[in-house]
Amino acid sequence: MNAIKVVEESYRKEIPPFSIGDTVSVSIKIKEGEKERIQVFTGIVIGRQGAGIRETFAVRKISKGIGCEKVLPLHSPLIDSIKVTKEGVVRRAKLYYLRDKKGKAAKVKEKKFIGK
Amino acid sequence: MKGIIGKKLGMTQIFNEDGRVIPVTVLEAGPVRVVQKKELAKDGYAALQLGYDENRKEKNVNKARKGHFKKANVPNYRVLKELKMEGYEVGEEITLDIFEEGEFVKITGTSIGKGFQGVMKRYNFSGGPASHGSMFKRAPGAIGMGSTPGRVFKGKKMPGQMGNVKSTVDNLVIVALKNEQGLMLVRGAVPGAIGSYVVIKSNSPISVKDK
């Protein structure tokens, strides 16, 4: 089992800590023919699944009035960077209920900084 | 032909350059040592007897084997396998350096034993309806004709031992080699349970052509 961990570790990346309900900007490398460009996908993290090298996360955003979700492997080499822009307060591990909400109801409460 | 003995360590996934996920089996391949050389003149065929896994207590080795290992001046191995290889002397070490990334291999192991199983699990028979008073659930059904031929044909698929048999998978690609750790990563699944021994051979060109 140890050898598997060694293999997995060599493919792992540094990931900033983020949790469900946070708003993240994911920079995704996109190859178009020869050229490679970076597309930023900003949205709410509605779920994380799996562990170790197999972990994936789902980001949801409303693009021009249409809901759009991306499920990405956390350690994918196609992810250039993940930036946490907002931290959210949620009581659930999977925010699938956001899919049925519109407008203000589809918002996640932002975490306000409370001193020690 | 070239080959090596190894151990299945389990499966995981890795990413390739395109960012695609590849399912891989992690194998510990070698190192092995030549324990005996079978010669055409003496034994009637040419092969190398390889020993693998020296992690074995001395009290668990019988005297005959101990003498056999001592003759070749090698440690007390757990596994001995003969492969039709050439070009190595007795006592010489073979590591996974003989393989390259991207090469095709075939891997032989002992499949996971499932015990005595019925025909539905063993041969994917359909079985009967589960409910509505069905009195034909998982039985095999008819196994032959009447008084002609008056017997059941040989090889008829019936319940019995499933798994725990020698099984080979052809044309597995070596995705990566980790030489310093002695690990080999092949794409896809390999027969056997975790920790079971496998034989890794280079795929002969004929079987590649067949595919």
Side-chain angles (χ1 to χ4, degrees):
Chain A
M1 221 49 210
N2 218 352
I4 300 226
K5 283 218 175 98
V6 169
V7 171
E8 284 181 356
E9 213 58 46
S10 61
Y11 289 93
R12 266 178 107 120
K13 289 203 302 186
E14 280 284 312
I15 307 285
F18 66 89
S19 53
I20 318 299
D22 293 356
T23 305
V24 292
S25 296
V26 189
S27 306
I28 305 160
K29 289 178 201 161
I30 290 172
K31 252 198 182 150
E32 287 169 333
E34 290 292 284
K35 272 191 215 161
E36 197 182 74
R37 66 183 178 85
I38 281 171
Q39 188 184 62
V40 182
F41 190 88
T42 308
I44 300 166
V45 180
I46 62 163
R48 280 174 86 152
Q49 190 268 120
I53 195 85
R54 286 176 299 278
E55 187 168 353
T56 60
F57 67 110
V59 185
R60 178 181 171 84
K61 79 166 186 180
I62 307 291
S63 178
K64 291 170 187 156
I66 293 163
C68 177
E69 282 177 20
K70 258 184 196 219
V71 180
L72 297 157
L74 196 57
H75 296 280
S76 167
L78 295 185
I79 294 176
D80 191 56
S81 68
I82 301 173
K83 230 187 262 164
V84 184
T85 50
K86 260 190 242 172
E87 282 181 55
V89 181
V90 286
R91 306 175 94 175
R92 251 151 268 277
K94 302 280 186 284
L95 307 182
Y96 298 145
Y97 68 88
L98 290 180
R99 290 170 181 167
D100 306 324
K101 307 272 187 205
K102 270 190 205 164
K104 212 176 169 184
K107 271 196 161 175
V108 167
K109 222 196 232 162
E110 200 180 332
K111 201 186 236 172
K112 294 276 186 312
F113 180 74
I114 308 156
K116 270 183 190 171
Chain B
M1 208 216 41
K2 55 186 176 180
I4 205 164
I5 309 169
K7 197 194 261 177
K8 178 174 166 178
L9 297 177
M11 288 191 77
T12 182
Q13 63 178 40
I14 62 167
F15 297 97
N16 71 358
E17 315 83 63
D18 304 334
R20 283 185 177 276
V21 168
I22 306 173
V24 290
T25 305
V26 182
L27 304 163
E28 185 188 83
V32 295
R33 264 177 211 282
V34 181
V35 181
Q36 197 189 1
K37 244 177 136 170
K38 299 272 181 183
E39 278 156 21
L40 198 66
K42 208 173 148 199
D43 307 291
Y45 62 99
L48 295 181
Q49 188 185 57
L50 305 176
Y52 169 66
D53 203 350
E54 45 194 270
N55 180 23
R56 193 179 190 190
K57 281 182 189 153
E58 190 156 353
K59 64 164 183 159
N60 293 335
V61 190
N62 66 26
K63 266 192 181 167
R65 271 286 158 83
K66 247 182 230 172
H68 184 60
F69 288 127
K70 207 177 168 192
K71 204 170 155 192
N73 198 18
V74 292
N76 295 324
Y77 286 117
R78 267 171 192 268
V79 193
L80 286 177
K81 280 260 153 65
E82 273 183 25
L83 294 178
K84 282 185 179 160
M85 288 166 78
E86 281 165 10
Y88 293 96
E89 290 308 313
V90 172
E92 209 174 328
E93 193 181 58
I94 306 172
T95 61
L96 80 166
D97 295 342
I98 56 170
F99 291 106
E100 279 168 43
E101 283 180 18
E103 208 175 319
F104 284 90
V105 288
K106 59 178 167 191
I107 298 180
T108 306
T110 308
S111 63
I112 296 174
K114 311 277 184 198
F116 193 102
Q117 293 298 335
V119 286
M120 282 182 69
K121 189 181 175 77
R122 197 173 177 212
Y123 294 115
N124 298 326
F125 281 21
S126 332
S131 60
H132 293 292
S134 163
M135 287 163 79
F136 178 70
K137 292 190 192 295
R138 299 183 64 92
I143 56 168
M145 294 60 93
S147 41
T148 332
R151 62 186 174 93
V152 176
F153 290 135
K154 270 191 178 174
K156 175 81 202 120
K157 290 173 180 170
M158 293 228 242
Q161 165 69 31
M162 183 182 174
N164 195 18
V165 289
K166 187 173 163 181
S167 167
T168 305
V169 177
D170 275 356
N171 294 330
L172 292 165
V173 188
I174 300 176
V175 179
L177 290 171
K178 312 231 172 246
N179 295 54
E180 63 275 14
Q181 291 130 14
L183 298 178
M184 180 193 275
L185 273 61
V186 294
R187 189 193 173 115
V190 165
I194 288 172
S196 63
Y197 297 110
V198 291
V199 176
I200 305 153
K201 286 184 195 170
S202 61
N203 224 345
S204 63
I206 303 151
S207 67
V208 174
K209 222 168 92 184
D210 284 345
K211 290 258 160 168

